[in-house]
Amino acid sequence: MIVESKTVRFESLPLDCGATLAPVDVAYETYGRLNEARSNAILIAHALTGDAHAAGVSKVDGKPGWWDSMIGKGKAFDTDKYFMICANVLGGCRGATGPGSVNPATGAPYATSFPGITIPDMVRLQKLLIDHLGIERLLSVSGGSMGGMQALEWAASYPGVVVSAIPIATTARHSAQQIAFNEVGRQAIMADPDWNEGNYYDSKPPARGLAVARMVGHITYMSDESMREKFGRRLRDKAKFGFDFSVDFEVESYLRYRGNQFVGRFDANSYLYITKAMDYFDLSDGSGSLAAAFGKGSTRYLVISFTSDWLYPSYQSLDIVQALRGMNRDVAYCELPSNYGHDAFLVDVGEQTEVVRGFLASTFKARS
Amino acid sequence: MPSTASDARRRPFVTDILGRSDYAIISELIEPDSRVLDLGCGEGELLQWLVQNKAVDARGIEIDGPKVQRAIARGVSVYQSDIDQGLTGYPDDSFDYVILSQTLQESRRPLEVLREMLRIGKHAIVAFPNFGHWAVRLSLLFTGRSPRSRCFPHEWYNSPNIHFLTIRDFETLAREQRWSVERKIFLSGRRTGVFLANLMAEVAVYQVRK
């Protein structure tokens, strides 16, 4: 499946911070066909560093989508049955308006004059896209990590639109630990002199800072067990320690590689803005009561967590499930066994495929 | 997904239900279009059947992860929890029926579970293996060891059953708690009569309400 992103421009988008962005671009991809009843559309929301290219092979660079294991012919999100949509999030750097976009008022990139954004802002932009595509109801909204937050926000904000939601490895509110890890990443970027208060678009980007932020991120996406299995204490291309701060261990080499690779495809300011949006996320809006946030809609939920995910631990998924159950809402929940930590929703998709496929099939059958 | 052989030994009543003939019992008890919660629902076979044949709004609770996955894969809304803790979150009167099939004797606090069932549901349907069955009584009498029978196949040290009850025990409890017994059905291989039920029935199914 060769795929290509499209971009659509909207006149303006009011934001939670009070500012209005105008205009706003959003890049998106679609897979499969919208049926005549327009009842088979599913929105996929990506995580922190994802993009609109969720599945298939990119026409531009030949790379597979970030959730290609889950989306496609005969897969969990079966493109023979469903019409799949994925868009770059607001504030991103992969086709959506973000801090790297040109501010029409100044003719220069927004940089840190870009307004602060939230998960609900991202969802509002996606709603414009869905309206633009002529879709009134979404059979499902799904995503892992920050994508799961968007799925929860969708169901809370537009209960009449969202038939079902599949939040995976996620939370209804960012915890102190999650905020703390994001802050380390942001500090790494801002401590890099090349960051230059965010104004680096006509010079050198803060590559070192962004790479370190990515390294921290990667550690939190894995588990102790998966790191032991993958790297152990193995040395990289040497038999003895170097005693010189060059790469000794395999794990160092891996993190450096991942960090450097990331710099080529991601904008440091986008990283700052999007991690803040995650940290601001609290579906209960500070009230502490999730039940009120979920309201009275009829959205069906499938909540999934993973045993070794310590970044978004199962108790956070259970909080969501308990709140829904307290309102006697239709919710299925399972904690899938995996050693892959938070990354499990991307890389360990066997059991995830079975539950998502069955849940979608019964939802589709009941609502069409 | 067919049950495994060991499941079949452990949960004879569920197996009976799945063997078509005893669908009749549950379908007699459960009204169409009702709200049903199945505690210890396994792979969700019964709930799936009720959805398809009775158009019920079905939910399930199951402790075993792989069974939860298979139930969700069947399209049944099941969540993973144990039933001793899993019911507290539900508001009062959330369901028309709360089903507890072959799990009462495995629960840590069976009376609390029954009370919770009747708090969140109008009717509780409880199926349990009868420890008063003649085979159990004879087994204890003649072997002098912890009784084993078709419904109680385990050794004392590996049995999931931690609270043994008879039909008379349940009747006594229902009287003490002032629950009204709406229906009772006794099974021994196939359906048996009420006559000498505590001696003759291997499994009892009760429908009670507050």
Side-chain angles (χ1 to χ4, degrees), chain A residues 309-328:
Chain A
D309 183 353
W310 57 274
L311 185 59
Y312 290 84
S314 291
Y315 82 83
Q316 293 187 318
S317 287
L318 273 169
D319 278 351
I320 297 165
V321 174
Q322 298 291 18
L324 288 166
R325 226 157 44 82
M327 324 248 319
N328 198 17

Side-chain angles (χ1 to χ4, degrees), chain A residues 300 325-326 328 330 332-333 335 358, chain B residues 75 77-80 86 90-91 94:
Chain A
R300 212 179 164 217
R325 226 157 44 82
N328 198 17
D330 188 343
Y333 165 67
E335 181 190 48
Chain B
S77 290
V78 172
Y79 91 99
Q80 195 173 351
Y90 285 109
S94 297

Side-chain angles (χ1 to χ4, degrees), chain A residues 216-269:
Chain A
V216 173
H218 258 288
I219 298 167
T220 65
Y221 306 152
M222 292 185 277
S223 70
D224 180 40
E225 190 168 0
S226 68
M227 289 179 91
R228 262 188 290 142
E229 268 173 27
K230 195 165 180 172
F231 314 110
R233 288 183 51 82
R234 278 197 311 283
L235 299 181
R236 175 78 182 177
D237 297 335
K238 55 175 74 167
K240 285 188 246 166
F241 298 152
F243 297 107
D244 60 358
F245 301 110
S246 63
V247 165
D248 284 315
F249 295 99
E250 279 284 357
V251 66
E252 293 174 310
S253 161
Y254 175 82
L255 288 176
R256 288 187 192 196
Y257 169 75
R258 285 297 190 162
N260 293 332
Q261 192 195 36
F262 185 59
V263 168
R265 70 173 180 89
F266 214 82
D267 176 38
N269 283 335

Side-chain angles (χ1 to χ4, degrees), chain A residues 300 302 318 321-322 325-337 351 354-355 357-359 362 365, chain B residues 35 52 57-59 61 68-69 72-80 85-91 94-95:
Chain A
R300 212 179 164 217
L302 169 60
L318 273 169
V321 174
Q322 298 291 18
R325 226 157 44 82
M327 324 248 319
N328 198 17
R329 298 281 298 277
D330 188 343
V331 53
Y333 165 67
C334 61
E335 181 190 48
L336 297 178
E351 285 158 325
E354 292 308 311
V355 292
R357 178 188 285 142
F359 176 82
S362 64
K365 198 173 154 197
Chain B
R35 299 163 301 167
Q52 285 165 358
D57 185 0
R59 313 282 165 79
I61 297 179
V68 173
Q69 290 163 34
I72 297 173
R74 280 173 195 273
V76 181
S77 290
V78 172
Y79 91 99
Q80 195 173 351
Q85 293 165 1
L87 307 187
T88 49
Y90 285 109
S94 297
F95 300 96

Side-chain angles (χ1 to χ4, degrees), chain B residues 7-17 26 38-42 46 62 67 83 99-107 117 125-131 150-154 160-163 165 187 201-206:
Chain B
D7 278 349
R9 273 195 302 279
R10 199 163 89 70
R11 312 198 72 183
F13 179 57
V14 170
T15 319
D16 283 348
I17 287 171
I26 298 290
D38 187 1
L39 306 178
C41 65
L46 175 61
E62 170 60 45
K67 286 182 184 167
I83 55 168
I99 302 171
L100 184 67
S101 180
Q102 294 275 324
T103 330
L104 186 60
Q105 74 284 355
E106 297 176 18
S107 127
M117 288 171 73
I125 296 176
V126 185
F128 59 90
N130 174 28
F131 207 60
R150 202 155 58 135
C151 286
F152 298 93
H154 304 91
N161 304 322
I162 54 175
H163 287 101
L165 76 160
L187 300 158
E202 287 183 293
V203 171
V205 185
Y206 275 81

